[in-house]
Amino acid sequence: VRAYPNPAQNETNIEYTLNNNGNVVITVADIMGREVIRMNQGNQSANSTKNVAINTSNLSNGTYFYTINVNGVKQTNNLVINK
């Protein structure tokens, strides 16, 4: 899982590859843990790389955390917004 560009200005792309089939939910949370973006990507198949564009133009400068949740299994990384 990776976000690019990172730091981002008005948009970032999150790229991920699934090991198993599953329902994918992507969330972005601020430093206080408040969810600011939620994207339900639906059921996706394993062994294919996905790329999701996220509009970050309405987010303030700072550090955020994006999480990929697949059937309850989560991976979280940080994302910096610097306009």
Side-chain angles (χ1 to χ4, degrees), residues 49-69:
T49 300
K50 307 291 184 190
N51 189 341
V52 177
I54 296 179
N55 181 349
T56 59
S57 62
N58 60 338
L59 300 179
S60 300
N61 287 349
T63 301
Y64 295 82
F65 299 95
Y66 64 94
T67 300
I68 307 292
N69 182 338

Side-chain angles (χ1 to χ4, degrees), residues 3-43:
Y4 62 91
N6 189 6
Q9 290 184 351
N10 294 316
E11 183 176 271
T12 192
N13 295 287
I14 296 180
E15 182 179 270
Y16 58 93
T17 303
L18 300 179
N19 293 328
N20 300 305
N21 295 343
N23 184 50
V24 177
V25 178
I26 299 171
T27 58
V28 179
D30 64 15
I31 196 80
M32 300 300 290
R34 293 177 295 231
E35 189 176 287
V36 294
I37 296 173
R38 181 179 191 84
M39 302 174 70
N40 187 346
Q41 298 302 110
N43 286 314

